[in-house]
Amino acid sequence: MVDVIGALKRWIVPSACLLCTGPADPGTICDGCRDSLPWNRIACPVCALPLASASAYICGSCAADAPHFDSALSAFRYQPPIAGAIAGLKYHAQFRQSRWLGGELAALVAARPEPFPELLIPVPLHPKRLRERGYNQALELARGINRVLAIDIDWQAATRIRETADQIGKRAVERRREVRGAFAVDQRIAGRHIALIDDVMTTGSTVNELARACREAGAARIEVWTAARVP
């Protein structure tokens, strides 16, 4: 049966861009907004830190102290309007943001020559935080990626076993100390190629600690995919 009323509404009230409210396809952004986004095109291939020049292949931090994960990919730099879109997802349950952010990230992954991972592992929230928020924004982002790439999501393979304080405003050394031993990972990921999914990477302390636990559980290759990376 044709949804005449729905079609009429879409004709009378066109879909709006998620960023500027101008005309756009449902659940997407307009071409003007997309062209002006802070893409993270020049970045360290190990930790996705934005770089000023492509001549610096690996950032100094990764050269001095390699993380527990093998590579990282962040679609955007954490700047407006991406920061606002992520805040809408993280704190206001704007799941449409996770669909287009996940779609943009998936498009970048699909354009690479490297093989896809076997599993997407969302960075878990502590059960108390999950109850308070009602959802895990990393899982919602993983679902956005899955809609495009059809890679299985395993949201139970990793658990946050220790509650940690909010990381906003803390220095890197404080962040590392705060998340130490915060995760447990099931050994069913042993021998698997996985991608850890999160909304933002700041210093990388959280995903690095989760990657350490994944490595101890036997993961063969670990990638980190985030919507945005803090410069």
Side-chain angles (χ1 to χ4, degrees):
M1 182 176 180
V2 178
D3 182 6
V4 177
I5 294 177
L8 184 61
K9 285 182 177 178
R10 289 191 292 272
W11 180 74
I12 296 173
V13 184
S15 297
C17 170
L18 296 178
L19 298 178
C20 75
T21 71
D25 291 335
T28 65
I29 59 176
C30 66
D31 291 340
C33 283
R34 193 172 190 279
D35 289 342
S36 64
L37 290 175
W39 295 93
N40 192 30
R41 292 192 173 100
I42 302 176
C44 173
V46 177
C47 73
L49 181 72
L51 300 175
S53 171
S55 61
Y57 186 65
I58 296 177
C59 73
S61 178
C62 289
D65 185 16
H68 294 288
F69 50 85
D70 297 289
S71 66
L73 176 67
S74 293
F76 304 102
R77 300 184 181 207
Y78 188 67
Q79 298 169 356
I82 297 300
I86 290 175
L89 166 63
K90 191 169 184 175
Y91 301 113
H92 304 291
Q94 295 178 2
F95 299 133
R96 57 187 182 174
Q97 305 289 7
S98 65
R99 288 191 286 272
W100 81 266
L101 287 170
E104 295 289 3
L105 188 53
L108 293 177
V109 171
R112 309 180 315 174
E114 295 86 359
F116 291 169
E118 302 167 75
L119 292 173
L120 304 180
I121 310 290
V123 173
L125 294 177
H126 187 271
K128 180 181 177 182
R129 180 68 60 84
L130 184 59
R131 287 193 299 270
E132 292 171 350
R133 185 169 295 167
Y135 62 94
N136 180 357
Q137 72 277 0
L139 174 56
E140 297 306 321
L141 184 62
R143 285 171 172 157
I145 297 169
N146 170 268
R147 285 162 61 96
V148 178
L149 300 182
I151 302 173
D152 290 340
I153 302 171
D154 192 336
W155 57 272
Q156 295 178 310
T159 55
R160 192 179 293 241
I161 57 177
R162 185 169 60 77
E163 186 177 6
T164 56
D166 199 318
Q167 301 293 292
I168 296 175
K170 291 186 176 181
R171 296 177 301 171
V173 64
E174 294 174 314
R175 288 171 177 260
R176 287 194 296 269
R177 183 166 57 245
E178 184 70 27
V179 298
R180 192 170 296 143
F183 300 103
V185 177
D186 194 288
Q187 290 189 345
R188 65 174 176 263
I189 69 165
R192 312 292 292 277
H193 175 187
I194 65 174
L196 307 181
I197 311 299
D198 208 359
D199 53 349
V200 181
M201 189 193 305
T202 305
T203 64
S205 298
T206 299
V207 290
N208 195 41
E209 179 61 21
L210 177 55
R212 185 192 64 78
C214 289
R215 193 71 77 188
E216 290 184 351
R221 178 171 176 80
I222 304 170
E223 298 187 42
V224 174
W225 299 351
T226 62
R229 181 68 157 94
V230 174

